[in-house]
Amino acid sequence: KVLPACLLLALLLAPALPAQHERGLIFNLEIGELCLQSAQCKSGCCHRANGLSLARCAPKAAEFQDCSPKHIYGVYYKCPCERGLTCDVDKTIVGSITNSNFGVCKDPQDSYRR
């Protein structure tokens, strides 16, 4: 019997396809690698220092570091906070449009402990 062409092609290409956990050329990018969208980075933050700089994957902001709230844009000037922290920022419409509404990462549990 003859295998259908698409099945034969799939069997030939299967070893060449990377596993999901491996780094790719477009997704699962490491800290420091060039990116266009935060979804490409393992850290979840595609960061640029200014409007003219190239964006690179960066770690999320830790407690007491400057941050940006998560937004629909793919690149940040300040990375969002690590998991479990919140970006304490004044969320105005002007700041959202101009991408200048920066804050500081805080542990939301700290307000309950006082």
Side-chain angles (χ1 to χ4, degrees):
K1 291 186 176 183
V2 177
L3 290 174
C6 60
L7 181 58
L8 182 59
L9 184 61
L11 290 172
L12 291 173
L13 291 178
L17 297 175
Q20 286 185 330
H21 66 278
E22 290 182 16
R23 187 184 85 67
L25 295 175
I26 299 174
F27 291 101
N28 287 332
L29 300 178
E30 299 289 343
I31 302 297
E33 292 189 282
L34 293 173
C35 55
L36 296 172
Q37 295 284 325
S38 290
Q40 293 177 279
C41 304
K42 280 184 180 179
S43 67
C45 180
C46 185
H47 171 267
R48 75 169 30 143
N50 58 54
L52 300 175
S53 64
L54 295 173
R56 295 184 179 273
C57 293
K60 287 197 174 177
E63 192 169 12
F64 306 118
Q65 288 185 332
D66 291 339
C67 60
S68 291
K70 289 188 179 184
H71 55 65
I72 60 172
Y73 307 120
V75 178
Y76 293 96
Y77 289 106
K78 305 284 183 189
C79 286
C81 300
E82 294 174 340
R83 184 179 300 230
L85 301 176
T86 58
C87 190
D88 189 23
V89 63
D90 179 23
K91 296 179 183 176
T92 63
I93 188 70
V94 174
S96 295
I97 292 171
T98 60
N99 197 19
S100 63
N101 54 341
F102 306 129
V104 176
C105 291
K106 294 186 177 178
D107 184 347
Q109 299 298 320
D110 284 347
S111 62
Y112 298 121
R113 294 179 191 145
R114 293 181 188 166

